[in-house]
Amino acid sequence: MNRQILNSSHFSVERGVIVKARELSPHDKLFEIALPEGKRLHHDPGQFVEVSVFGAGEAPISVCSSPTQGDTFDLCIRDVGRVTHTIHTLREGDTLGVRGPFGRGFPVRLFEGNDLVLIAGGLGIVPLRSLVQYVISNRRDFGKVSILLGCKTPEDVLFGDEIEQWNKRIDVHFVCTVDKADPEWCGHVGVITSLIPEEMLIPERTFAVIVGPPVMYKYVIGELLKKHIPDRQIIVSLERHMKCGMGRCGHCQIENLYCCCDGPVFHYDEIKHIEEAI
Amino acid sequence: MGENIKINIQHLTRVEGHGNIVVDLKDGAIIKCNLEIVEAPRFFEGMLRGRSIFEAQHLTSRICGICACGHTLASIQAAEDALGLTPSDQTIKLRKLLLHMELLDSHILHIYLLALPDLLGVRSFMPLIATHNDVVRRALRLKKACNDVCNILVGRHVHPIRATIGGFTKLPSENDLDTMLNNLSNLHEDLDETVELISKLQFPQFQRDSQYVALVSDDGEYPLLSGDVGSTRGVRINKSEYKKITNEYMVPHSSAKFTNLNGEPYAVGALARLNMNCRKLHSKAVEAAKKLNLSNGGNNPFLNTAAQTVECVHCLNDAIGILEALKTSGIDYKEEILVGANETSAIAVKAGRGVGAVEVPRGVLFHAYEIDEEGRILNADIIVPTSQNIANIEGDMRAIIPGIKHKSEEEITLALEMLVRAYDPCISCSAHFLDVRFVD
Amino acid sequence: MARPKAAFFDFSCCEGCQLQIANFGESLLDILNVIEVVEFREIMSEKYDGTLDVAIIEGSINTPRAVERIKAIRARSKTLVAIGACATTGGVNGIKNVFPLDEIAGYVYGGNFRDYETIQTMAVHQVVRVDYFVHGCPIYPPEFVAVLKALLMAIPYDVPDYPVCVECKLNGNVCMYDRGVSCLGPVTRAGCNSWCINNDNICYGCRGMVSNPNETGAIDVIKQYGLSIERIVNKLEMYNKCRELNPHG
Amino acid sequence: MAYVVLRKDRFDDFVSALSAQRKVMAPVSRGYNQFEFDEVHSGREIALSYIPTILPPKKYFMPQRETLIQFNSDSAEAVVDFYNMVILGVHTCDLAGIQCLNMVFSERPKDYNYLVRKNNITIIGLECNDYCDKYASCTLMSAELPNGGYDLFITEFDEYLLFHVSTQTGEDIINSVGIFEPANASHMSRLAGYRRQKRSIFNKELPVDSKDIAALFDKSFNSRVWDGLNERCLACGNCTNVCPTCYCFDVIDEPALDLTTGRRYRRWDSCQLEPFARVAGGANFRESRGHRQRHRYYRKFSYPVRKFFRYFCTGCGRCSRACMANIVLKDVLRDLLREHQ
Ligand SMILES: Cc1cc2nc3c(=O)[nH]c(=O)nc-3n(C[C@H](O)[C@H](O)[C@H](O)COP(=O)(O)OP(=O)(O)OC[C@H]3O[C@@H](n4cnc5c(N)ncnc54)[C@H](O)[C@@H]3O)c2cc1C
Ligand code: SF4
Ligand code: SF4
Ligand code: SF4
């Protein structure tokens, strides 16, 4: 057998250094990563990277910081299995493998000059955070901005301090709802669809972005359609099992689309005829 | 300790399965002197009923992981006996090879990992990793080689895959024969050193005129896979009458079924085989026996470990002989057996009764089945070497106690443990039929 | 890093799985470099009664005393690994459950059978929580090593939840059904590298069934090949009988 | 376009000479009318008359398990393991399969593991004289005649083998072995006659025009046919594993006992398996066996047409042969057709 070393394999990883690690909840941690020699990731909001720990494996993780953040980027990781658990044991100064960025992010150019309704369910706030941060850093370029967040319980609300900031801003409309409140909760209780703003919505100039668990999409899209938002202006980010990020391994396929390359961000009109999508 | 001794060894270690030794000596008289078996019952004979005879070997192999190949061979022999099937010469050669590997592997495990720590005065082989690293490595190397050969020959050593009624599902390629031969030829030196090691050890001096039972035959071959059953008291009977020999009975003081022959307990195993057949050993093994003072066998049960060493040499050399013969004759691949053949009716099935008697590492093992005309098992009977030995072990314990009763409790305990271990008892084997009463 | 303290415990079984580990040859020493074995009755006289990092359990639970013993082991062990079919599915010991308890004990022991304390055979996870499973009768050594590594890294080991056929095909074997013989590969979970079929035998289902077998489909197949359903069901019982009692433990 | 002739009694010499140069893989018999590509050293081991092998030759281009990355505590290298080899006796359906895989792995980002291996493989095709069995649908898929994708291509006649030399690599082999004669006009006219005759044997297997199949799938997504398959399929993955154009994979890390060195490898995976599309949280995006079967058929007859402008079925019939539930590709297509009549 011959063995050749490949200089340009797309399976090669870069070593990212964890500059900061912070616990957000008992099973979610936020990691700030720097690539070697101050290299930039150059990602779009909504794109993801394949993160790996050798020995444990690789997993697709959304970049949850805005490209405007600078030399580092953030990953928010939930401990659910082999890779994610191992990453949770890493500390500041440790390295992890990074490939990417992959996929198609949010179409921010199209958003410019329009109103935005950003809707996140649970962990969906993670990929959406990169967009929120981007929008806030370039606030002038967008019209009205609403952020709607739905969680199971108050404990599941991630990025509490940051959300506090969003809440305080005068140029962002922020609402949060939980399925089940605790005594201290003073926000909304109920399903996220009830938060979609009615009066101030101008369908032609509104883009709605949805990221959340699989069950959420149908209901929220139905509600948006009722409010006459055009298909093209409803944007979703989908999750699928992924192994390669290059449209080959087959795991993320949604009929003829590959979630990893054609998505994970899709316009609703691209997928509404695709039964396997939502 | 003196005239009053109470010894209760719970969960005897470094043996297969769970057993206790309980001794109670009052005013010099032995009140209790038992080897008790506390393995959970597994009901193998019960489970076999109603199953296809073609599954018997797969299931009975699971009686014991260490003698899995032995159970497989005994089960196949009994099944073929019941079906009236005569295996081919090639099949017999390969089965002998397999049995040799089983004996070699199991003996090595016993000699090095189970018995040697006692003889070197440590509690297990773990400390030996540091103090006798070369010895541990040699043991693991020997075991690995046996395993590698079994992997080729039957897919794996624990619960062999290829050995089946009628022969083998897959036969070794020419390449395989070379690899096996090569693996085994590399072992001569390790075995020579094993003989050397054992010859230097001090075994406890103890003699008792026990009755020994093993397979016997009229030809010149050291009988392991075929023959009649014979004893040092001159008994000789056909294997189909095995019950006359094993003569099972229950005793109230103990939890195990016992066996006796003509009203006397007996011993099976390497020492018994040597006592019956030492003239038929391979010449290299004869030399080893000389070196270990076992040229004519002997009466010291502690020397069973040494007898096993002699058999290792025999098995290795005979195995190499078999492989060389197979290389010369070539393998006939047309003999490969399609399993589940009963489903395609390739092997004719009829009602009948059959017995298998095979010399497995710890002694002669019997399987007997009765099947109906569709090949379903009506009755099954399995008698393992360890249950044949228990009565004799207790006899040895009774005989040894008077000579050591003045020693400390630790010394007595160790002596009894060593005695039991020397028999290399396999309690998981016996548990398929033992009465279980816990002695908490 | 301190080596985790590990102990081996055997319940009702043939001890073949422990032997599989002893059979690693010299690479056993590499394993002993990464775990500290503090108790292993079959080959060691040392005993240990402190807290264990890893308890490795072989054998099925089939006496009231065994139930107590396994509970006690669980209570003092951080992780518990069930190895071998007897421990992970009840194994062949489960066949006992086919028969009424009194009946089978009576057959083997005659008149005194009521003296025997025996209960229905159970897999370990049907009595206590199990963290890692190493299926198979006997265990497949490379899988044991893979689980050991997952355990050392404190990450889950996912038992393949697809059938043996997958590995069988990857190995390019002639399918047993093409030889006219029934095989339990299609409903048995993979992970053994189709060990038996590689050796031209059929799969006996020793690793237990996949989580969602298509049972009606399988029966169709058996009929289509003109094979006997009764025999297949009988075969399935060899390793899957305990599945029906308390499947989730 | 050169043709050379090899007397049949010299075929063994040809194979021996070839195997002295590099590994030679060719179909060998496994009994039960089953064949498999395996290493050979002489012509006698080769089953020249064979029906599609258990696994297609894709196993040499994309091995069942292949190392992608070798790592240790402070470095990780992307690697490719390969042999320099000749695959001898590749039928036209499998040549088509390799062409499909070539397209997939040459797309950007290129898969160098595949491409390096491909560049080290020489392919010698072999013409089929007759149908292998009732499962084949090579004519429907236009794969019954050679269509490129080989270095040398053999057509067998009673007393000689006619080789088409298609590439320089093929030419070099012919020259290095040196036991060939140039083909003459009579050889060529015999080939033409043979191909004419072949056209009368190989007929379109289903009453549908190949180009209409994609349209058939456009309207079959909710067909009842898939419900039927849901009942029967065992989700064993045989059909995809034996398929010459299936290439889904899983990526797995395998550390050594020291937990810091090891490898990352990929292994064939199958969309038919239960866990294939399951994600953390438990959602499974193709939970029913029927949907998974539908996905397989769409990956042969619909999705690739939009991306690569060809079907990813070569008509080899392997999926039907390997399915113990007797799910037969031609029957499924026929049922779909019937539904729309
Ligand atoms: C585009 C995209 C963006 C994502 N972004 C984030 C993020 O920002 N933060 C975050 O915590 N998680 C994110 N995920 C989910 C994350 O990829 C999975 O949780 C992770 O792969 C699980 O890997 P593991 O090795 O830890 O778990 P495993 O031990 O492998 O498996 C645990 C469970 O996860 C499923 N799973 C395994 N591998 C994958 C995979 N590659 N994709 C999806 N499910 C898988 C398994 O089926 C199993 O049910 C994202 C997923 C996608 C596809
Ligand atoms: S032999 Fe058994 S495991 Fe292999 S493909 Fe056939 S049914 Fe599956
Ligand atoms: S092939 Fe079947 S019976 Fe054999 S080891 Fe694998 S799961 Fe067990
Ligand atoms: S081979 Fe048949 S049973 Fe197996 S997954 Fe494919 S269609 Fe289903």
Side-chain angles (χ1 to χ4, degrees):
Chain A
M1 193 177 64
N2 309 296
R3 169 163 281 192
Q4 184 180 319
I5 292 172
L6 294 171
N7 297 323
S8 52
S9 162
H10 285 267
F11 290 102
S12 309
V13 302
E14 293 218 58
R15 295 260 167 167
V17 180
I18 299 175
V19 267
K20 217 187 232 158
R22 180 158 69 93
E23 207 165 278
L24 297 183
S25 85
H27 27 248
D28 300 284
K29 265 190 182 171
L30 184 68
F31 297 90
E32 188 181 339
I33 314 286
L35 292 179
E37 290 141 28
K39 219 161 114 187
R40 288 209 170 192
L41 188 62
H42 291 301
H43 69 286
D44 296 330
Q47 280 193 302
F48 67 94
V49 285
E50 285 281 351
V51 182
S52 60
V53 183
F54 283 117
E58 211 175 29
I61 301 291
S62 308
V63 181
C64 72
S65 56
S66 161
T68 52
Q69 176 165 314
D71 292 349
T72 63
F73 58 92
D74 292 353
L75 302 174
C76 170
I77 295 173
R78 171 159 296 184
D79 176 358
V80 297
R82 289 189 303 273
V83 183
T84 49
H85 180 78
T86 315
I87 295 176
H88 268 237
T89 62
L90 298 180
R91 305 211 185 124
E92 288 172 11
D94 288 346
T95 61
L96 39 70
V98 177
R99 282 196 295 139
F102 292 110
R104 183 171 68 153
F106 297 110
V108 281
R109 287 283 94 73
L110 294 181
F111 294 168
E112 287 176 10
N114 290 303
D115 296 346
L116 294 178
V117 183
L118 311 180
I119 307 169
L123 209 56
I125 188 68
V126 173
L128 209 61
R129 177 176 175 256
S130 61
L131 181 61
V132 172
Q133 286 188 347
Y134 180 87
V135 167
I136 288 178
S137 348
N138 300 282
R139 184 64 193 85
R140 217 177 41 209
D141 300 340
F142 304 93
K144 276 193 287 203
V145 176
S146 319
I147 305 169
L148 320 180
L149 173 63
C151 291
K152 278 210 188 91
T153 67
E155 275 132 60
D156 296 314
V157 181
L158 298 180
F159 303 111
D161 38 353
E162 227 164 297
I163 283 173
E164 198 66 19
Q165 297 302 312
W166 301 347
N167 206 3
K168 282 192 190 133
R169 291 184 75 102
I170 55 155
D171 54 359
V172 173
H173 168 71
F174 178 86
V175 228
C176 182
T177 181
V178 294
D179 295 345
K180 240 181 91 192
D182 58 18
E184 280 117 81
W185 182 249
C186 44
H188 287 257
V189 179
V191 288
I192 194 159
T193 39
S194 64
L195 297 185
I196 298 171
E198 191 91 47
E199 336 61 75
M200 53 184 201
L201 215 135
I202 307 165
E204 312 77 79
R205 49 170 295 185
T206 298
F207 277 81
V209 180
I210 316 167
V211 198
V215 288
M216 190 180 104
Y217 291 94
K218 242 186 218 107
Y219 299 103
V220 176
I221 291 173
E223 202 59 34
L224 293 169
L225 293 175
K226 269 192 226 148
K227 305 214 152 74
H228 309 290
I229 311 249
D231 294 347
R232 181 88 197 145
Q233 286 166 218
I234 300 176
I235 315 286
V236 295
S237 175
L238 302 181
E239 191 197 338
R240 287 296 184 274
H241 197 125
M242 285 177 191
K243 283 297 175 186
C244 69
M246 296 180 270
R248 287 212 179 89
C249 78
H251 288 268
C252 75
Q253 210 174 356
I254 310 171
E255 298 190 14
N256 62 319
L257 299 174
Y258 284 87
C259 188
C260 69
C261 314
D262 301 315
V265 172
F266 294 98
H267 293 264
Y268 181 56
D269 66 336
E270 294 168 321
I271 54 162
K272 71 172 180 185
H273 302 295
I274 296 190
E275 294 184 26
E276 286 186 354
I278 27 194
Chain B
M1 279 181 92
E3 301 301 301
N4 289 303
I5 299 181
K6 247 189 190 331
I7 287 192
N8 192 340
I9 304 167
Q10 294 286 309
H11 285 298
L12 192 58
T13 57
R14 281 184 283 130
V15 298
E16 296 310 305
H18 297 225
N20 304 330
I21 299 174
V22 181
V23 174
D24 195 353
L25 198 68
K26 218 173 241 154
D27 302 330
I30 296 174
I31 309 285
K32 210 177 194 185
C33 177
N34 302 344
L35 174 60
E36 292 174 333
I37 304 302
V38 294
E39 185 84 10
R42 295 178 67 207
F43 303 104
F44 266 91
E45 287 125 319
M47 295 188 318
L48 282 169
R49 286 171 305 152
R51 301 211 146 256
S52 158
I53 185 71
F54 293 91
E55 288 166 4
Q57 139 254 320
H58 182 98
L59 284 169
T60 55
S61 161
R62 269 75 184 167
I63 292 174
C64 174
I66 297 204
C67 10
C69 294
H71 276 288
T72 302
L73 290 170
S75 176
I76 290 174
Q77 198 183 88
E80 287 178 351
D81 192 21
L83 294 167
L85 205 78
T86 314
S88 73
D89 279 355
Q90 176 174 295
T91 299
I92 291 174
K93 278 203 189 88
L94 289 165
R95 284 180 184 165
K96 281 184 182 155
L97 179 60
L98 179 60
L99 191 54
H100 284 336
M101 287 304 106
E102 171 102 318
L103 261 61
L104 186 55
D105 182 272
S106 172
H107 286 353
I108 293 293
L109 176 79
H110 180 247
I111 296 167
Y112 278 95
L113 300 188
L114 311 183
L116 192 62
D118 285 337
L119 298 165
L120 293 177
V122 290
R123 313 239 328 128
S124 79
F125 85 99
M126 292 290 174
L128 299 181
I129 298 176
T131 57
H132 296 70
N133 194 269
D134 54 331
V135 174
V136 173
R137 282 188 184 273
R138 190 194 309 142
L140 295 175
R141 207 159 49 229
L142 279 159
K143 270 191 72 54
K144 179 79 170 26
C146 293
N147 253 294
D148 290 348
V149 171
C150 285
N151 287 353
I152 295 174
L153 194 60
V154 285
R156 61 191 174 207
H157 177 218
V158 178
H159 309 326
I161 303 169
R162 294 188 187 181
T164 179
I165 293 179
F168 290 79
T169 56
K170 192 173 185 173
L171 291 164
S173 66
E174 284 170 32
N175 217 339
D176 290 341
L177 290 179
D178 288 336
T179 318
M180 290 192 278
L181 203 49
N182 187 35
N183 273 334
L184 293 184
S185 312
N186 286 337
L187 297 186
H188 285 302
E189 196 182 320
D190 280 342
L191 266 193
D192 289 348
E193 285 177 33
T194 307
V195 175
E196 190 64 34
L197 175 77
I198 299 298
S199 73
K200 295 220 180 78
L201 294 173
Q202 281 290 317
F203 288 93
Q205 289 303 314
F206 169 72
Q207 312 270 335
R208 190 169 79 90
D209 179 27
S210 297
Q211 174 174 224
Y212 291 95
V213 168
L215 290 181
V216 290
S217 64
D218 297 323
D219 57 19
E221 188 177 300
Y222 191 71
L224 294 171
L225 192 61
S226 57
D228 291 336
V229 192
S231 104
T232 42
R233 304 277 192 257
V235 178
R236 175 162 174 168
I237 52 156
N238 186 276
K239 67 172 181 179
S240 63
E241 295 175 279
Y242 73 98
K243 280 210 160 151
K244 281 194 187 151
I245 294 243
T246 56
N247 203 11
E248 285 180 300
Y249 63 100
M250 311 273 288
V251 285
H253 80 259
S254 166
S255 54
K257 275 186 183 174
F258 278 48
T259 59
N260 70 19
L261 174 54
N262 294 341
E264 185 194 350
Y266 62 86
V268 295
L271 190 59
R273 288 190 289 256
L274 240 54
N275 278 331
M276 299 294 294
N277 297 306
C278 57
R279 285 159 297 113
K280 298 181 177 181
L281 286 167
H282 188 278
S283 56
K284 288 251 179 68
V286 170
E287 281 169 39
K290 213 173 278 162
K291 193 153 186 180
L292 298 174
N293 293 326
L294 279 170
S295 290
N296 296 310
N299 266 341
N300 179 353
F302 289 96
L303 287 185
N304 194 41
T305 309
Q308 290 180 332
T309 314
V310 174
E311 281 195 333
C312 287
V313 178
H314 172 80
C315 290
L316 177 71
N317 286 287
D318 208 46
I320 290 174
I322 292 174
L323 280 167
E324 276 164 352
L326 284 169
K327 255 180 76 100
T328 329
S329 64
I331 298 256
D332 179 3
Y333 293 97
K334 284 202 278 307
E335 287 191 8
E336 282 177 344
I337 294 285
L338 181 61
V339 280
N342 53 326
E343 287 155 345
T344 54
S345 316
I347 292 181
V349 171
K350 64 176 180 70
R353 186 178 169 275
V355 176
V358 172
E359 285 287 355
V360 298
R362 290 156 191 81
V364 60
L365 163 69
F366 299 100
H367 278 229
Y369 307 129
E370 195 185 330
I371 57 173
D372 68 11
E373 59 289 342
E374 283 179 56
R376 268 191 296 256
I377 297 174
L378 296 172
N379 279 303
D381 187 22
I382 297 163
I383 295 178
V384 301
T386 297
S387 42
Q388 299 173 62
N389 274 335
I390 293 178
N392 209 59
I393 297 176
E394 288 189 358
D396 282 351
M397 292 203 302
R398 282 165 189 277
I400 206 171
I401 285 171
I404 57 171
K405 65 184 179 192
H406 55 280
K407 297 194 174 183
S408 73
E409 182 173 350
E410 285 78 50
E411 284 169 312
I412 299 174
T413 304
L414 182 65
L416 293 177
E417 281 189 346
M418 279 174 74
L419 174 72
V420 174
R421 248 179 237 131
Y423 277 86
D424 191 7
C426 184
I427 295 167
S428 18
C429 274
S430 346
H432 70 105
F433 78 145
L434 292 168
D435 176 352
V436 178
R437 204 167 298 134
F438 297 104
V439 276
D440 284 295
Chain C
M1 195 175 71
R3 291 179 299 163
K5 287 190 176 8
F8 287 78
F9 299 99
D10 47 344
F11 287 80
S12 192
C13 65
C14 76
E15 306 188 11
C17 292
Q18 294 183 14
L19 194 65
Q20 286 290 82
I21 295 166
N23 282 348
F24 271 109
E26 288 181 72
S27 49
L28 181 63
L29 299 180
D30 300 335
I31 292 177
L32 295 177
N33 258 335
V34 295
I35 57 171
E36 183 192 350
V37 178
V38 292
E39 187 171 337
F40 194 156
R41 191 200 48 78
E42 198 184 21
I43 51 169
M44 289 169 63
S45 294
E46 291 88 338
K47 296 250 160 95
Y48 181 82
D49 49 17
T51 302
L52 288 166
D53 295 302
V54 189
I56 300 174
I57 312 291
E58 186 186 9
S60 28
I61 310 297
N62 59 4
T63 65
R65 203 171 112 112
V67 171
E68 294 319 308
R69 193 170 149 236
I70 187 71
K71 283 184 177 158
I73 292 170
R74 174 74 260 191
R76 66 182 177 104
S77 310
K78 290 188 197 145
T79 9
L80 188 140
V81 189
I83 66 165
C86 294
T88 62
T89 67
V92 292
N93 295 328
I95 300 176
K96 187 184 84 175
N97 297 1
V98 173
F99 302 92
L101 270 182
D102 281 2
E103 194 274 337
I104 191 161
Y107 175 77
V108 180
Y109 297 112
N112 313 359
F113 73 85
R114 277 185 209 288
D115 297 344
Y116 310 109
E117 298 182 83
T118 178
I119 53 177
Q120 298 250 290
T121 303
M122 285 181 285
V124 174
H125 70 274
Q126 294 175 323
V127 186
V128 295
R129 186 168 55 80
V130 170
D131 302 298
Y132 292 92
F133 289 90
V134 188
H135 291 284
C137 182
I139 55 168
Y140 182 55
E143 193 185 31
F144 175 77
V145 176
V147 170
L148 184 66
K149 288 185 286 202
L151 186 151
L152 291 169
M153 296 173 77
I155 57 178
Y157 172 78
D158 294 329
V159 177
D161 193 12
Y162 47 77
V164 171
C165 296
V166 171
E167 290 168 343
C168 186
K169 270 289 150 309
L170 261 50
N171 289 323
N173 293 324
V174 176
C175 177
M176 283 291 161
Y177 284 89
D178 284 327
R179 300 171 166 210
V181 178
S182 66
C183 170
L184 294 188
V187 292
T188 302
R189 51 168 99 82
C192 63
N193 194 28
S194 63
W195 212 346
C196 298
I197 308 105
N198 300 351
N199 286 286
D200 284 359
N201 208 318
I202 55 172
C203 171
Y204 290 83
C206 80
R207 294 177 56 86
M209 284 205 244
V210 291
S211 63
N212 185 16
N214 181 354
E215 289 176 45
T216 51
I219 289 174
D220 277 357
V221 171
I222 289 155
K223 280 194 196 137
Q224 190 185 305
Y225 281 84
L227 305 169
S228 146
I229 304 268
E230 181 214 326
R231 282 196 198 277
I232 302 287
V233 171
N234 220 10
K235 275 225 175 72
L236 264 176
E237 278 180 353
M238 275 165 78
Y239 290 96
N240 286 290
K241 192 63 191 167
C242 289
R243 207 173 129 98
E244 47 200 57
L245 30 125
N246 179 18
H248 306 293
Chain D
M1 282 258 205
Y3 283 87
V4 293
V5 172
L6 178 71
R7 283 208 335 264
K8 256 193 186 160
D9 57 5
R10 313 268 345 236
F11 179 65
D12 204 27
D13 297 336
F14 170 61
V15 177
S16 312
L18 210 53
S19 95
Q21 295 173 2
R22 59 192 112 178
K23 271 184 182 295
V24 178
M25 308 302 185
V28 298
S29 169
R30 285 283 163 84
Y32 306 92
N33 197 29
Q34 303 252 351
F35 302 86
E36 184 62 357
F37 279 98
D38 209 342
E39 183 164 9
V40 298
H41 299 280
S42 76
R44 283 172 313 248
E45 297 167 61
I46 301 178
L48 267 186
S49 161
Y50 74 100
I51 69 167
T53 46
I54 299 170
L55 294 179
K58 80 170 170 189
K59 70 178 181 183
Y60 296 123
F61 291 80
M62 183 199 176
Q64 290 90 323
R65 295 174 185 82
E66 90 173 276
T67 306
L68 298 173
I69 291 192
Q70 197 74 45
F71 57 81
N72 58 41
S73 54
D74 48 30
S75 80
E77 276 172 343
V79 295
V80 50
D81 294 331
F82 62 96
Y83 290 102
N84 198 317
M85 66 166 77
V86 181
I87 311 180
L88 191 156
V90 184
H91 279 169
T92 47
C93 53
D94 284 342
L95 292 174
I98 295 167
Q99 285 170 328
C100 290
L101 294 183
N102 288 346
M103 296 173 93
V104 169
F105 288 100
S106 310
E107 269 214 313
R108 277 173 205 287
K110 289 179 194 288
D111 190 296
Y112 294 100
N113 289 73
Y114 180 94
L115 295 174
V116 166
R117 214 172 282 108
K118 167 183 172 243
N119 291 339
N120 282 282
I121 295 177
T122 304
I123 301 177
I124 305 182
L126 174 69
E127 183 141 16
C128 300
N129 301 329
D130 202 349
Y131 268 119
C132 45
D133 61 18
K134 62 180 180 187
Y135 296 118
S137 56
C138 44
T139 317
L140 184 68
M141 292 296 129
S142 319
E144 83 285 22
L145 289 170
N147 216 336
Y150 53 81
D151 299 286
L152 292 168
F153 188 83
I154 305 175
T155 307
E156 186 183 355
F157 293 98
D158 291 337
E159 62 287 7
Y160 63 89
L161 304 171
L162 184 66
F163 279 63
H164 175 219
V165 186
S166 173
T167 65
Q168 186 61 47
T169 311
E171 171 82 14
D172 293 346
I173 287 178
I174 299 295
N175 291 339
S176 69
V177 179
I179 52 173
F180 292 84
E181 294 152 29
N184 58 35
S186 81
H187 293 122
M188 296 317 293
S189 72
R190 195 157 165 210
L191 177 64
Y194 166 82
R195 292 262 163 87
R196 260 197 309 281
Q197 186 204 339
K198 207 174 146 177
R199 245 165 250 144
S200 70
I201 302 173
F202 285 80
N203 287 309
K204 208 159 42 104
E205 294 85 1
L206 286 177
V208 59
D209 214 27
S210 155
K211 67 177 184 333
D212 296 334
I213 296 179
L216 172 68
F217 274 81
D218 285 343
K219 50 193 179 189
S220 298
F221 202 77
N222 289 313
S223 160
R224 283 196 314 278
V225 171
W226 314 123
D227 302 335
L229 299 189
N230 187 48
E231 297 291 301
R232 291 163 59 203
C233 172
L234 301 179
C236 71
N238 280 358
C239 48
T240 59
N241 282 331
V242 302
C243 177
T245 69
C246 274
Y247 54 87
C248 288
F249 56 83
D250 197 0
V251 179
I252 302 160
D253 276 21
E254 188 180 67
L257 266 177
D258 67 6
L259 306 182
T260 52
T261 58
R263 66 167 184 156
R264 173 166 294 170
Y265 69 100
R266 71 171 156 201
R267 192 191 57 200
W268 293 2
D269 205 341
S270 165
C271 60
Q272 297 308 301
L273 307 181
E274 189 87 16
F276 188 77
R278 205 190 283 154
V279 295
N284 189 340
F285 292 96
R286 267 186 298 277
E287 192 150 26
S288 95
R289 287 180 285 265
H291 289 172
R292 299 204 288 267
Q293 276 294 302
R294 174 175 71 191
H295 185 69
R296 169 165 84 91
Y297 278 91
Y298 274 77
R299 278 200 58 153
K300 301 297 142 195
F301 296 105
S302 175
Y303 309 149
V305 181
R306 301 187 218 173
K307 197 162 179 178
F308 300 108
F309 309 101
R310 68 176 291 167
Y311 296 122
F312 264 40
C313 174
T314 68
C316 71
R318 280 191 182 87
C319 54
S320 313
R321 253 171 245 125
C323 178
M324 65 210 109
N326 200 23
I327 294 173
V328 175
L329 181 125
K330 281 197 280 188
D331 295 346
V332 172
L333 294 184
R334 199 177 287 119
D335 290 347
L336 289 176
L337 282 170
R338 221 173 265 147
E339 237 181 25
H340 293 286
Q341 256 158 21

